[in-house]
Amino acid sequence: MYRSHNCGELNATNINEEVTLAGWVQKSRDKGFIVWIDLRDRYGITQLVFDEERTSKDMLQQAQNLGREYVIQVKGTVIERASKNPNIATGDIEILVSELNILNEALLPPFTIEDKTDGGEDIRMKYRYLDIRRNPVKDSLIFRHKVTQEVRNYLSKEGFIEVETPYLIKSTPEGARDFVVPSRMNEGQFYALPQSPQTFKQLLMVGGMDKYFQIVKCFRDEDLRADRQPEFTQIDCEMAFIEQEDILNAFEGLTRHLLKEVNGVDIEKFPRMLYDDAMRLYGNDKPDIRFGMAFGELNAVAQHKDFGVFNNAELVVGIAVPGGNSYTRKEIDKLIDWIKRPQVGALGMVYCRCNDDGTFKSSVDKFYNQDDLAKWAEVTNAKAGDLICVLSGDTNKVRTQLSALRMELAERLGLRKPDEFAPLWVMDFPLLEWDEETERYHAMHHPFTSPKPGQLELLKTNPGDVKANAYDLVLNGNEIGGGSIRIHDKETQSLMFDYLGFTPEEAKAQFGFLMDAFQYGAPPHGGLAFGLDRLVAILGGQETIRDFIAFPKNNSGRDIMIDAPAPIDDEQLTELSLKLNLKS
């Protein structure tokens, strides 16, 4: 065997034992007459010692020539370490080596394999197999494993059955672009990679599986960012013979279990907030409620005061920044510059200082007196020592802009603490949203989401006002899961397709298999899908997901380690009946 122990388990109780270890050379310290080697594997580091009094001349020279990341095997005796290291589990001992075998030499790595490395993101992604040797990435992947195992164990105990669904499916419109796969055996036809197993899990409910889950890869060809990858993993779940409350209770239970078992945190309350209230109070549908700074709408107290910027705005809205009155004019100017960036797009910002003596000083004192500004403070819940930041403009734009400012200020103020967890259900989303380009409605979630009970008739008169029987689970300002109660009868599903602009023929071609299934006794059903990558990152105290994915893509959707995507040769193109029409 290559090893009797790993590099993280030996301690003082093993002194005088003969052991065999194997791993990578982390670093070496050569004093000429004595050499210390740090040997590393997945489990930890053990110090090896070679000295001229107890080591042969040839072995000492061999140890002196070991390079970083050489793969070696050693046999030796566990001895007490003279200079102990309390920072590692094996810090009380070292191995006096009696036999050294070089299993594989290694080139000098392009970056240091240490917690704080000198490698930039691109170079570490190119050599991801080396990056995985570093503790931050290794520990993140182990953490992901722990979360995944807890999910499987919990759902299995709750009676859910894990069922695999196909990856080669039919292209269906679900919001993002599909990745498509040409079929060699069916000339001119294509599979699509699933954006989610949506229709399959509904068919499993028709099939009587009752409670289904799957930890599954999904694929969306969309623009990328720190928390988005072209291939991602969902905890996909569906239940039959349930109502919305059953779903919420089931997955509150899972989330509570994960927070307890993984983070040691007890969470009792999962507040609920209507979508309309989330937009009004926080400017987005996934608010971070670990801190305050809720929006205060100021139209009634800020308009009609001869200040045209506010008078001409659809919405005037502000937030109170705790302790913000301490900001200098230069700091406020930098804040204004921040919201004017193209990524935010605000034209400017009005501010008001709430002085300790109860007076106010604003950037628009020419138009507003102390009584006016006191009303601003009342609406925004500002206190003495705070700063009121006010934006104005079109309702949707200004809410988005102020939401970005709120999150930036919270980050600067240290209010977004990664070891604090605040879950939130956001409910009653619009069923449909109007698209100006195509001049028709699109499903806000997907075409299989049912309207709220009692609102079906409203589809015929005011489709934009219909609320969906849908819900998102938000954790620390991130959507970690979303789902809905599904449509389970052919008539309602046909009506939904009508409002989404499908002709009967198009609906039949795209979803005829599902419509047919509904005619054979489909039960009421609904579900929820967690984004596993994002959930794991948040539980791990981060908001970017890359370190929790073994081999991630970059922001261009490329795997720079294996250089994919890549061209295929002419023979393959011919075999697939494809011809390239590349723009020069």
Side-chain angles (χ1 to χ4, degrees):
M1 59 184 175
Y2 278 104
R3 55 189 179 185
S4 61
H5 298 78
N6 65 53
C7 292
E9 67 176 304
L10 297 172
N11 55 49
T13 64
N14 301 104
I15 288 175
N16 295 326
E17 289 184 18
E18 296 294 318
V19 298
T20 304
L21 301 180
W24 289 264
V25 173
Q26 174 75 18
K27 62 182 177 181
S28 62
R29 297 175 297 285
D30 183 1
K31 297 293 186 181
F33 62 93
I34 189 168
V35 176
W36 291 280
I37 301 287
D38 283 351
L39 186 67
R40 183 195 73 241
D41 64 9
R42 183 188 118 187
Y43 307 95
I45 288 177
T46 298
Q47 180 169 283
L48 314 178
V49 60
F50 306 78
D51 66 57
E52 61 183 10
E53 292 183 2
R54 295 174 290 183
T55 303
S56 70
K57 184 177 180 180
D58 288 345
M59 191 190 301
L60 182 61
Q61 185 176 20
Q62 192 180 20
Q64 290 171 328
N65 291 330
L66 291 174
R68 279 167 42 199
E69 302 305 311
Y70 273 42
V71 186
I72 64 172
Q73 179 195 48
V74 297
K75 296 181 180 179
T77 306
V78 181
I79 62 175
E80 185 174 5
R81 187 165 166 170
S83 179
K84 294 179 172 58
N85 182 353
N87 297 318
I88 60 174
T90 60
D92 290 342
I93 58 94
E94 59 189 2
I95 309 301
L96 178 61
V97 177
S98 59
E99 184 178 329
L100 168 63
N101 297 313
I102 297 176
L103 302 176
N104 215 336
E105 296 182 356
L107 296 174
L108 186 68
F111 53 87
T112 54
I113 312 297
E114 295 177 355
D115 291 3
K116 293 184 178 179
T117 183
D118 56 359
E121 186 174 31
D122 286 345
I123 194 74
R124 288 188 290 110
M125 288 186 71
K126 181 175 176 63
Y127 296 93
R128 183 64 167 181
Y129 45 86
L130 297 180
D131 202 26
I132 290 172
R133 296 180 188 175
R134 296 174 51 244
N135 284 328
V137 181
K138 176 200 73 177
D139 291 343
S140 293
L141 296 179
I142 294 172
F143 183 81
R144 181 188 179 110
H145 162 76
K146 181 179 179 180
V147 173
T148 303
Q149 290 304 105
E150 289 295 339
V151 169
R152 279 199 164 95
N153 292 339
Y154 181 87
L155 291 175
S156 296
K157 287 178 181 177
E158 291 296 311
F160 285 81
I161 305 300
E162 186 167 11
V163 182
E164 294 182 16
T165 54
Y167 281 155
L168 295 176
I169 67 168
K170 186 177 185 178
S171 181
T172 58
E174 290 191 36
R177 296 183 186 91
D178 286 326
F179 285 101
V180 296
V181 180
S183 171
R184 177 184 59 82
M185 294 180 289
N186 300 275
E187 187 174 320
Q189 296 185 327
F190 296 80
Y191 299 105
L193 300 180
Q195 295 183 33
S196 79
Q198 180 60 49
T199 54
F200 287 101
K201 63 183 176 183
Q202 291 191 250
L203 291 171
L204 286 170
M205 295 303 101
V206 177
M209 290 306 295
D210 193 71
K211 286 184 174 183
Y212 141 94
F213 86 99
Q214 182 181 190
I215 296 178
V216 59
K217 280 288 185 189
C218 302
F219 307 85
R220 291 179 187 171
D221 186 4
E222 57 189 351
D223 294 335
L224 305 181
R225 55 180 185 241
D227 63 343
R228 182 183 286 170
Q229 288 275 301
E231 52 181 318
F232 57 97
T233 306
Q234 283 186 181
I235 309 167
D236 200 56
C237 307
E238 198 81 359
M239 302 169 69
F241 300 110
I242 46 81
E243 296 178 338
Q244 179 177 277
E245 198 67 26
D246 300 303
I247 298 285
L248 302 189
N249 290 334
F251 297 108
E252 276 184 23
L254 173 59
T255 308
R256 190 178 286 113
H257 173 81
L258 292 175
L259 287 167
K260 176 65 175 177
E261 295 301 317
V262 175
N263 296 88
V265 174
D266 287 305
I267 299 288
E268 291 301 323
K269 295 184 178 179
F270 281 64
R272 300 180 183 185
M273 183 180 296
L274 297 178
Y275 168 86
D276 290 344
D277 289 338
M279 299 304 295
R280 177 176 57 84
L281 293 172
Y282 299 102
N284 68 68
D285 58 5
K286 47 183 184 296
D288 191 336
I289 59 170
R290 285 175 293 180
F291 56 95
M293 286 196 281
F295 293 5
E297 296 189 353
L298 298 167
N299 291 46
V301 297
Q303 289 183 326
H304 315 300
K305 298 289 183 179
D306 297 326
F307 184 48
V309 172
F310 284 177
N311 290 343
N312 297 326
E314 187 177 5
L315 177 66
V316 183
V317 63
I319 55 173
V321 184
N325 192 30
S326 64
Y327 289 3
T328 64
R329 175 59 188 271
K330 185 176 181 181
E331 288 174 318
I332 294 175
D333 287 343
K334 285 185 177 179
L335 206 57
I336 294 172
D337 289 340
W338 187 89
I339 65 168
K340 285 183 175 180
R341 298 176 312 142
Q343 298 95 318
V344 181
L347 297 177
M349 182 182 83
V350 170
Y351 65 89
C352 175
R353 296 181 180 276
C354 303
N355 298 319
D356 291 338
D357 62 4
T359 62
F360 302 93
K361 178 66 178 174
S362 81
S363 56
V364 286
D365 278 347
K366 178 180 178 181
F367 302 99
Y368 298 93
N369 59 35
Q370 291 292 299
D371 288 340
D372 296 327
L373 299 176
K375 292 177 182 176
W376 291 18
E378 181 181 354
V379 171
T380 59
N381 291 315
K383 299 176 177 58
D386 291 352
L387 178 74
I388 303 173
C389 298
V390 183
L391 301 183
S392 60
D394 295 339
T395 296
N396 291 337
K397 286 184 179 179
V398 78
R399 281 176 173 169
T400 301
Q401 292 159 359
L402 191 60
S403 176
L405 176 60
R406 176 180 179 267
M407 295 296 279
E408 175 66 17
L409 287 165
E411 198 70 47
R412 296 184 185 189
L413 293 167
L415 301 177
R416 305 192 70 211
K417 299 175 182 177
D419 57 349
E420 291 182 5
F421 298 95
L424 171 72
W425 286 109
V426 178
M427 327 268 294
D428 294 6
F429 287 78
L431 182 68
L432 306 170
E433 54 185 346
W434 183 256
D435 186 289
E436 295 291 345
E437 290 186 14
T438 59
E439 295 187 340
R440 66 183 180 90
Y441 284 107
H442 290 265
M444 192 163 187
H445 277 69
H446 53 62
F448 317 107
T449 298
S450 70
K452 292 288 287 187
Q455 295 200 1
L456 188 59
E457 289 301 313
L458 195 59
L459 266 177
K460 302 173 183 177
T461 55
N462 294 293
D465 293 339
V466 178
K467 298 298 183 185
N469 206 345
Y471 33 81
D472 280 357
L473 182 55
V474 177
L475 185 62
N476 295 0
N478 293 269
E479 178 198 335
I480 61 167
S484 65
I485 302 300
R486 322 301 186 190
I487 296 169
H488 67 278
D489 65 278
K490 182 177 181 180
E491 292 73 21
T492 306
Q493 190 64 74
S494 297
L495 184 63
M496 185 68 171
F497 286 145
D498 288 344
Y499 283 103
L500 293 175
F502 288 86
T503 66
E505 293 74 23
E506 289 171 335
K508 176 69 175 176
Q510 293 280 357
F511 302 109
F513 63 94
L514 185 65
M515 305 282 276
D516 290 344
F518 283 172
Q519 299 179 98
Y520 290 93
H525 60 280
L528 180 142
F530 287 88
L532 179 64
D533 309 298
R534 192 176 302 171
L535 173 63
V536 170
I538 295 170
L539 294 178
Q542 300 183 38
E543 291 195 3
T544 55
I545 64 177
R546 280 184 184 164
D547 278 354
F548 296 89
I549 298 172
F551 300 103
K553 308 288 191 294
N554 68 10
N555 283 342
S556 300
R558 294 198 66 83
D559 185 328
I560 58 178
M561 181 184 68
I562 64 172
D563 194 24
I568 61 175
D569 60 36
D570 290 341
E571 183 178 344
Q572 285 178 289
L573 289 171
T574 300
E575 191 174 47
L576 295 168
S577 303
L578 295 177
K579 184 176 182 180
L580 299 182
N581 183 23
L582 300 176
K583 296 178 181 178
S584 57

